[in-house]
Amino acid sequence: MKDTTFFKDKKILIVGLAKSGFAGAKLLHSFGAHLTVNDKSPREGNAEAEKLEKLGIEVVCGDHPLTLLDSKLDFIVKNPGIPYQNPLIDEAVKRNIPVYTEVEIAGMISDASIIAITGSNGKTTTTTLIGDMLKNSDKTPVVAGNIGTVFSEVAAKSTEKDILVAELSSFQLMGTERFKPQIAVFLNLFEAHLDYHGSLDEYGKAKAKITENQDSSDYVIYNADDERVSYLMKNSKAKHIPFSVKEKHEGGVYVEDGALYFQDQKVIDLSEIVLPGKHNLSNIMAAVAASLLAGATLEQIRQVLTSFPGVKHRLQYVGELNGRRFYNDSKATNILATNAALSAFEQPVILLAGGLDRGNSFDDLLPSLKNVKAMVTFGQTAEKLAQTANQAGIETIKRADNVEDAVPLAYSLSDEEDVILLSPACASWDQYKTFEQRGDMFINSVHKLK
């Protein structure tokens, strides 16, 4: 591990006792820091607070008192979800007390090299892809960050034989000062979290911090099809690796003659990739570049791309049977999400849709149904969706009692090369507790069919 004596005897205030705050407090305490932990939730029933107090750490619960700033603090470690408008954080900034997130700590203590991924959409898919692609390479990939595992906790256990693959949000990156990944990935930038950042410009600046401290020994992989991202990357001192689904960029990732290329090296034919959609092709390009630069083999990358199921319940590839591909998009609980799923396929689709009736019509689904050759409906909205399918000119419309029964019915209506897609356009609560349960029922039914 890198030298952690920097933290010894430092006076540190941790604000927010969520998963990252709890892990960060234990870590910094082990480095010999003098800690105070502050959490707005009540002390009663706060198991994490109790555990930290048993370690001898002071915990202040129930409020964010400004008096916590009166002792001479070296810096604050803030939970990413706490906004800078919070009175305690706002006052700390005014007093020039540095405010970090645990990502800053992770970067300081990691012995492993770091691949950091950010963007408005696609972070989890890209992070997961990179982690899978780096398996069987010289270094052991360890996935962390916003995807689930506390980054600093993983970084503390890392060795030079590891490579950390971290999904990072704008909230996390905003609280960094020296963070320097060896490979940075910037996927895209859309309007999001403006209530937190105040404007799209500030949101973009927070994301761009991923490359702020990089130099010519590092790489920044970015979406050349996104004008905002390209503009923000102009000042990066890292080696630029653009990716584009629209045009060829020398030294980057591009499509040519129906195949994916990285720096003039053919990676795979697009027809072999099972993860559908142009947005996912962008994610795949970024993952391929990051993985190859980090030492992945072409064999492993191809193996992942021909089998990668996607994030569960989000246009997840379930498998193939007699030339039919099955996809689970149970998370599509509204029309917008189902429109996006349908746009991912050029092949004929058998669509499974239905669920909780919220009183809306499905007219907005009509333009996306042009590739749908048959529809199987279920749940409270079965009749409404059947009427919409009829309006769209879909000749084959069947009704099933539930998702489990819909799968074999859909298969009976399909031909070789068809896609059988669960993308309900509705919430699940009429028949299932969660969209996850609904998706699992679909998966189980596909396996039974096999």
Side-chain angles (χ1 to χ4, degrees):
M1 187 186 291
K2 291 181 183 176
D3 184 13
T4 59
T5 56
F6 169 83
F7 300 102
K8 186 170 174 58
D9 295 326
K10 288 285 193 296
K11 293 196 75 172
I12 303 168
L13 172 65
I14 294 181
V15 182
L17 191 51
K19 189 160 62 171
S20 65
F22 180 65
K26 289 196 298 179
L27 193 63
L28 292 169
H29 176 71
S30 72
F31 296 156
H34 298 301
L35 295 180
T36 302
V37 176
N38 174 224
D39 192 58
K40 194 174 183 180
S41 62
R43 173 65 181 80
E44 188 179 346
N46 193 326
E48 286 79 13
E50 188 177 328
K51 289 174 186 175
L52 293 180
E53 285 175 339
K54 284 180 180 177
L55 293 174
I57 298 171
E58 181 187 4
V59 182
V60 178
C61 289
D63 199 3
H64 294 307
L66 297 184
T67 52
L68 290 171
L69 304 177
D70 292 342
S71 57
K72 291 185 178 178
L73 294 170
D74 289 289
F75 59 88
I76 291 172
V77 180
K78 177 184 77 67
N79 181 281
I82 296 173
Y84 283 80
Q85 292 77 17
N86 177 285
L88 181 65
I89 303 302
D90 182 54
E91 182 61 25
V93 172
K94 287 175 182 175
R95 296 190 193 186
N96 296 315
I97 300 170
V99 179
Y100 303 136
T101 55
E102 53 94 25
V103 171
E104 181 76 349
I105 311 301
M108 293 169 70
I109 64 175
S110 175
D111 276 337
S113 54
I114 296 171
I115 302 174
I117 300 99
T118 199
S120 298
N121 290 332
K123 295 187 294 297
T124 299
T125 297
T126 306
T127 302
T128 308
L129 276 167
I130 295 170
D132 286 355
M133 288 175 178
L134 284 169
K135 289 174 182 173
N136 302 319
S137 64
D138 291 339
K139 293 190 175 183
T140 303
V142 184
V143 175
N146 207 41
I147 199 168
T149 313
V150 177
F151 190 15
S152 58
E153 194 172 35
V154 172
K157 298 172 184 174
S158 67
T159 71
E160 291 179 353
K161 295 179 181 179
D162 298 321
I163 185 162
L164 302 187
V165 185
E167 175 187 328
L168 301 180
S169 69
S170 58
F171 301 170
Q172 292 169 305
L173 286 165
M174 197 170 173
T176 59
E177 192 173 279
R178 288 157 289 193
F179 180 64
K180 182 181 181 292
Q182 284 64 54
I183 299 174
V185 179
F186 198 157
L187 295 169
N188 45 54
L189 187 68
F190 303 117
E191 288 195 5
H193 306 303
L194 301 192
D195 55 336
Y196 186 99
H197 293 288
S199 69
L200 185 58
D201 282 347
E202 290 302 314
Y203 175 47
K205 285 177 188 175
K207 290 281 191 192
K209 292 195 80 171
I210 199 167
T211 188
E212 189 171 75
N213 298 307
Q214 288 188 300
D215 56 39
S216 59
S217 67
D218 304 313
Y219 295 93
V220 61
I221 299 162
Y222 66 95
N223 189 347
D225 296 333
D226 190 312
E227 290 182 11
R228 294 188 186 108
V229 170
S230 298
Y231 176 78
L232 287 166
M233 292 300 95
K234 278 183 180 179
N235 295 324
S236 172
K237 296 181 179 67
K239 296 184 186 77
H240 285 215
I241 310 290
F243 63 88
S244 170
V245 299
K246 296 177 180 177
E247 54 190 342
K248 181 176 179 177
H249 287 266
E250 295 293 340
V253 195
Y254 55 91
V255 173
E256 192 169 67
D257 299 327
L260 188 67
Y261 284 81
F262 173 67
Q263 297 181 339
D264 298 329
Q265 179 183 34
K266 183 179 175 180
V267 177
I268 192 170
D269 288 320
L270 296 185
S271 60
E272 295 182 70
I273 298 172
V274 296
L275 194 62
K278 189 174 283 187
H279 64 295
N280 274 325
L281 183 56
S282 290
N283 299 334
I284 287 165
M285 287 177 155
V288 165
S291 301
L292 285 172
L293 291 171
T297 65
L298 269 178
E299 181 185 3
Q300 178 67 12
I301 286 172
R302 287 170 181 150
Q303 193 277 324
V304 170
L305 292 179
T306 54
S307 62
F308 182 72
V311 178
K312 197 171 186 184
H313 308 300
R314 301 179 191 177
L315 214 53
Q316 172 195 4
Y317 176 62
V318 177
E320 185 175 325
L321 178 63
N322 297 327
R324 287 86 162 162
R325 285 182 174 180
F326 292 82
Y327 289 87
N328 164 31
D329 192 40
S330 185
K331 196 174 189 297
T333 57
N334 56 52
I335 294 169
L336 189 65
T338 298
N339 283 337
L342 288 168
S343 71
F345 299 102
E346 294 179 1
Q347 312 96 304
V349 173
I350 315 295
L351 177 64
L352 282 62
L356 184 73
D357 191 346
R358 285 178 162 148
N360 59 286
S361 76
F362 291 92
D363 291 349
D364 290 343
L365 199 59
L366 284 167
S368 299
L369 296 176
K370 56 184 181 295
N371 272 0
V372 175
K373 64 182 279 187
M375 189 186 289
V376 179
T377 66
F378 52 86
Q380 290 178 358
T381 55
E383 186 55 40
K384 277 188 178 180
L385 281 159
Q387 290 171 9
T388 303
N390 191 50
Q391 277 181 265
I394 298 170
E395 292 183 5
T396 306
I397 306 163
K398 300 289 184 181
R399 181 166 182 168
D401 289 335
N402 49 47
V403 168
E404 298 95 311
D405 293 342
V407 171
L409 182 54
Y411 179 79
S412 71
L413 304 173
S414 67
D415 298 302
E416 202 169 327
E417 305 295 325
D418 286 353
V419 164
I420 297 175
L421 169 68
L422 170 68
S423 190
C426 303
S428 60
W429 304 319
D430 60 332
Q431 292 182 303
Y432 304 96
K433 289 180 180 178
T434 62
F435 71 80
E436 290 97 340
Q437 186 188 44
R438 178 172 63 188
D440 288 338
M441 291 300 104
F442 175 80
I443 294 167
N444 292 339
S445 193
V446 172
H447 291 328
K448 283 179 185 175
L449 197 62
K450 286 184 175 183

